[in-house]
Amino acid sequence: MFRRTRIRLVTLNVIVFILLLNGLGGAVYFTMKYRMFSQVDGELEKIANRIYSTQLVHPKLDRIRWPDVDRRIVFLMWDDQGGILGKAYGEFMEPEDLLKFRPTPDMQGIDTFTVSGLPYRVYTLPVNDTLFFNGKFKRLEQIQLIYNLEPEGKMLSTLLYVIVIGGLASIVIAGLAGLFLAKRALIPIQLSWEKQQQFIADASHELRTPLSVILVNLERLFRHPDHTIEQESESISVSIQESKRMNRLVSDLLTLARSDSNERQIMKQRVRLDEIVLKSVQAFQQLAEVKEIQLQTDIEQPLEVLGDEERLRQLMVILLDNALKYSEPAGTISVSCKREGSSAAITVADTGVGIPKEDIPFIFDRFFRGDKMRAATVEGSGLGLSIAKWIVDAHGGKVRVESETGTGTSFFITLPIKVKE
């Protein structure tokens, strides 16, 4: 799937680049062509205006000296019979080539001629004047100004060659660059896709177990329709427990799904963090006594933060629940909540089994459970710490973990304090 997507991105990138390059190259080429032809036409029109304003007393135009006139421009004088009366300026041209410029009686203005394979820009001026030439009076019908466009044509051809060659090279470079950029752009998408696939697989696995247990117990009830509720109380109890477990799992999945969709789940207001921590510890006091685990607290009062009371309570429940799960009898759980500069610092430390160093970078990943955490005696879906990290991040805080196998685990959380106005 990603390979085809990469190919599509590269193809789209190259197509867009070709269109932009061709558009830019075409604009440069035609702009240059227009400017060159405009300059030539402007020069021809300027000379034509000067001829109109000059009194021609002799057909030999070479006697006229205009230093500022481009010496490549050929002046031709035509009589009313289509013959050449005179020629001035310009490069040498064969007589038979000159005759190919013969104008028609109604011709005037600027035209383009191709003579002997060369392009020329020609300005034809109607004159209708009489001159004395070689002892005879002859009628001057038209004057032509001829400009050889071969240098401009060569320049445009060179420009077009450079644009084409540069365009081909740029297409190759665009393809390689597009392939590299597409590969880089797809990396986070591919990682996200892989995480999503893993998330779906893990969620399906976690949901399959309670559903299977519930289904088995319900089928057992149908096998013995004459049994009383008391006789089937064990099956009913197990089904209820699995239903509760599945409900918690679905609730956790919904929370994470909403966090991924950027749906607002945090309602921030001024709350007493010390009271939230203290009440959470008190809620776990009896469970700790049952497991013969000592709960120690060091809570600074009062301590206010800007946050969501319900989510902060959920954060403490997750941390304390994990600490109780993985602490051995006669162990200790220490909870502290203090002010540290402009932040509130919460620490939950236990003397439990600890987390292997290689597992610490992944403990906040969804459904991740280390080898010790996968023990059958420990319940859990592996979503608690993912939710805890989301809660901390949503409050603009940070969470850090220190752990050593067989010694215990410590969670360090910092949350910004609400500054009193």
Side-chain angles (χ1 to χ4, degrees):
M1 181 186 71
F2 287 102
R3 183 174 179 272
R4 285 183 294 177
T5 303
R6 186 182 300 115
I7 292 174
R8 289 174 184 172
L9 286 175
V10 173
T11 303
L12 181 61
N13 180 71
V14 172
I15 291 175
V16 172
F17 188 81
I18 289 174
L19 293 176
L20 291 176
L21 184 64
N22 287 343
L24 180 60
V28 171
Y29 177 81
F30 288 108
T31 299
M32 185 64 68
K33 182 177 180 180
Y34 173 78
R35 288 182 63 85
M36 285 184 175
F37 277 44
S38 296
Q39 289 178 354
V40 172
D41 293 348
E43 182 70 16
L44 294 178
E45 289 178 354
K46 183 178 70 173
I47 296 173
N49 292 332
R50 294 178 66 179
I51 290 176
Y52 274 127
S53 61
T54 301
Q55 185 68 30
L56 296 176
V57 296
H58 200 281
K60 292 186 178 181
L61 295 177
D62 55 357
R63 292 188 178 183
I64 302 175
R65 292 292 179 263
W66 291 335
D68 57 335
V69 173
D70 191 330
R71 308 302 292 182
R72 289 186 300 166
I73 298 177
V74 177
F75 289 63
L76 283 182
M77 297 178 64
W78 297 90
D79 59 21
D80 56 348
Q81 302 299 320
I84 299 176
L85 292 178
K87 169 184 176 296
Y89 296 120
E91 55 195 18
F92 173 78
M93 297 180 67
E94 297 292 340
E96 57 270 20
D97 288 340
L98 291 176
L99 293 175
K100 294 178 181 179
F101 291 98
R102 180 183 289 120
T104 59
D106 59 343
M107 182 180 294
Q108 65 179 8
I110 297 178
D111 295 284
T112 301
F113 284 72
T114 300
V115 176
S116 299
L118 298 178
Y120 293 88
R121 200 71 166 164
V122 179
Y123 196 117
T124 304
L125 296 80
V127 178
N128 295 324
D129 196 4
T130 301
L131 297 177
F132 186 77
F133 183 68
N134 292 334
K136 297 181 179 180
F137 285 98
K138 289 190 176 183
R139 189 169 184 80
L140 176 62
E141 189 75 14
Q142 292 165 312
I143 296 178
Q144 282 185 323
L145 306 176
I146 303 172
Y147 188 96
N148 189 349
L149 293 174
E150 183 181 11
E152 285 76 7
K154 288 182 178 179
M155 183 177 296
L156 290 175
S157 298
T158 302
L159 177 61
L160 183 61
Y161 176 80
V162 171
I163 291 176
V164 171
I165 297 300
L168 295 176
S170 299
I171 291 172
V172 175
I173 296 174
L176 296 176
L179 185 63
F180 173 76
L181 293 176
K183 185 176 180 180
R184 289 289 299 273
L186 286 176
I187 288 177
I189 300 176
Q190 189 169 359
L191 291 176
S192 178
W193 172 262
E194 292 174 354
K195 286 185 177 181
Q196 180 181 353
Q197 293 298 102
Q198 185 64 38
F199 178 81
I200 294 173
D202 291 339
S204 301
H205 174 75
E206 294 292 339
L207 288 171
R208 188 184 297 114
T209 301
L211 285 172
S212 299
V213 173
I214 294 172
L215 181 61
V216 168
N217 284 283
L218 290 175
E219 289 178 349
R220 184 181 300 171
L221 292 176
F222 275 109
R223 292 176 187 176
H224 306 284
D226 55 332
H227 284 191
T228 64
I229 293 178
E230 183 179 358
Q231 289 175 308
E232 297 294 341
S233 60
E234 183 178 352
S235 298
I236 296 174
S237 176
V238 172
S239 298
I240 292 174
Q241 290 177 3
E242 292 300 324
S243 298
K244 291 180 178 179
R245 176 187 169 193
M246 188 166 60
N247 183 63
R248 289 194 300 269
L249 178 60
V250 171
S251 178
D252 291 344
L253 289 174
L254 182 60
T255 298
L256 291 173
R258 288 176 176 173
S259 69
D260 289 340
S261 64
N262 293 325
E263 185 177 341
R264 186 176 181 183
Q265 293 291 306
I266 302 296
M267 303 297 293
K268 292 184 178 181
Q269 57 184 354
R270 292 176 60 182
V271 295
R272 287 282 298 272
L273 183 61
D274 56 302
E275 292 181 357
I276 294 174
V277 174
L278 182 59
K279 290 179 180 179
S280 300
V281 172
Q282 290 173 351
F284 280 86
Q285 188 68 49
Q286 291 185 353
L287 292 175
E289 291 177 358
V290 171
K291 290 191 66 174
E292 299 180 356
I293 295 174
Q294 184 180 2
L295 270 174
Q296 299 177 350
T297 60
D298 183 10
I299 301 174
E300 178 182 341
Q301 298 179 342
L303 184 54
E304 286 189 347
V305 297
L306 182 65
D308 188 316
E309 181 175 355
E310 186 64 28
R311 292 302 181 185
L312 292 174
R313 192 182 303 277
Q314 183 181 11
L315 169 65
M316 292 305 304
V317 168
I318 292 171
L319 297 179
L320 290 171
D321 183 61
N322 277 351
L324 280 174
K325 282 180 182 179
Y326 305 113
S327 293
E328 300 293 339
T332 302
I333 298 176
S334 301
V335 180
S336 69
C337 179
K338 297 181 179 180
R339 180 191 299 268
E340 290 186 358
S342 60
S343 301
I346 301 174
T347 302
V348 179
D350 62 64
T351 57
V353 296
I355 305 172
K357 291 183 178 179
E358 61 272 16
D359 289 345
I360 291 179
F362 308 104
I363 62 174
F364 294 110
D365 292 348
R366 298 172 186 182
F367 293 108
F368 178 80
R369 303 180 72 190
D371 293 337
K372 295 182 181 295
M373 297 181 181
R374 292 184 183 274
T377 56
V378 179
E379 295 184 356
S381 62
L383 294 176
L385 290 179
S386 298
I387 296 175
K389 188 175 188 307
W390 167 71
I391 293 173
V392 174
D393 292 341
H395 282 80
K398 296 181 180 179
V399 59
R400 180 171 57 88
V401 182
E402 291 182 1
S403 184
E404 187 175 343
T405 305
T407 301
T409 304
S410 298
F411 285 86
F412 302 94
I413 297 170
T414 57
L415 300 173
I417 294 177
K418 167 66 176 178
V419 180
K420 294 183 179 181
E421 299 177 356

